[in-house]
Amino acid sequence: MKLKKYEVIGAVFTAIVGSLLHFTYEWSGNNPVVGAISAVNESTWEHLKLFVVPMIIFSCFEFIIFRKMHKNFVPVKLLSILIGMSTITVAFYTYKGVLGYNFLAADIGTFILGITAAYVFSFKRLKSGKFSSRSANIAGIAGTVVLVACIVLFTFYPPHIGLFKDPVSDFYGIR
């Protein structure tokens, strides 16, 4: 029951903090340090940061509580984040491809869907004990480090592909 309560709290935390991160870069006067973890434009990648950053922050808090009970914590949380990112991306491009445009209510829905998918997967897999080997934990740590590095690096040096292009300004990354 304790795990379920924390996963629900984590989902709510991710939704609230992620929503706030949409505005923090502008609120900071376009501070590049804040931009490293906030959305700096309207690209899909920058919106994925709104999910990833608060989930990683909450996972660090959960790690303190659950690391001894759930030996699979790190790899499961990394997989959960990747599932959430994939869910958001697929849902967004699917509905936008069908309709030909995007709108705020659907964008919020894809965000909530990604959060839900991530935390449901996390809850089920943490309880299962799967991915608790030493190699899975090493891969989880390495993957998390790479993901965090990509979050920061691609803010300043994004690949010039559609995922990173701001549809409003036609620019990439921080300006």
Side-chain angles (χ1 to χ4, degrees):
M1 192 55 132
K2 186 177 180 181
L3 176 62
K4 186 175 187 177
K5 179 178 105 175
Y6 276 95
E7 295 302 273
V8 170
I9 292 168
V12 171
F13 175 87
T14 301
I16 292 169
V17 173
S19 297
L20 291 172
L21 286 174
H22 192 276
F23 306 102
T24 52
Y25 176 65
E26 186 178 326
W27 292 343
S28 74
N30 298 346
N31 183 319
V33 174
V34 175
I37 62 165
S38 302
V40 299
N41 65 39
E42 294 298 320
S43 71
T44 304
W45 177 259
E46 291 298 315
H47 281 81
L48 289 173
K49 287 165 56 175
L50 307 180
F51 162 73
V52 173
V53 170
M55 187 155 179
I56 288 175
I57 291 168
F58 195 79
S59 294
C60 290
F61 170 74
E62 280 186 303
F63 180 76
I64 295 165
I65 298 165
F66 294 116
R67 71 181 180 271
K68 290 185 178 165
M69 286 181 266
H70 300 285
K71 301 293 185 192
N72 60 348
F73 187 85
V74 174
V76 166
K77 285 297 177 173
L78 175 62
L79 289 171
S80 299
I81 291 168
L82 296 175
I83 285 169
M85 291 175 73
S86 299
T87 300
I88 291 167
T89 304
V90 168
F92 172 74
Y93 284 113
T94 299
Y95 98 73
K96 186 177 176 185
V98 169
L99 298 178
Y101 60 91
N102 62 299
F103 60 100
L104 184 59
D107 293 343
I108 292 169
T110 62
F111 183 59
I112 299 301
L113 182 64
I115 291 170
T116 303
Y119 279 97
V120 167
F121 177 87
S122 174
F123 175 70
K124 289 184 176 187
R125 288 298 171 258
L126 284 172
K127 285 180 25 177
S128 76
K130 291 182 180 177
F131 311 112
S132 57
S133 68
R134 178 172 163 76
S135 59
N137 275 284
I138 290 169
I141 292 167
T144 302
V145 168
V146 168
L147 179 59
V148 170
C150 287
I151 290 293
V152 174
L153 183 67
F154 293 160
T155 299
F156 301 97
Y157 305 102
H160 284 219
I161 60 174
L163 184 69
F164 299 91
K165 187 176 184 179
D166 180 347
V168 176
S169 70
D170 283 339
F171 286 101
Y172 296 86
I174 200 167
R175 292 183 35 183

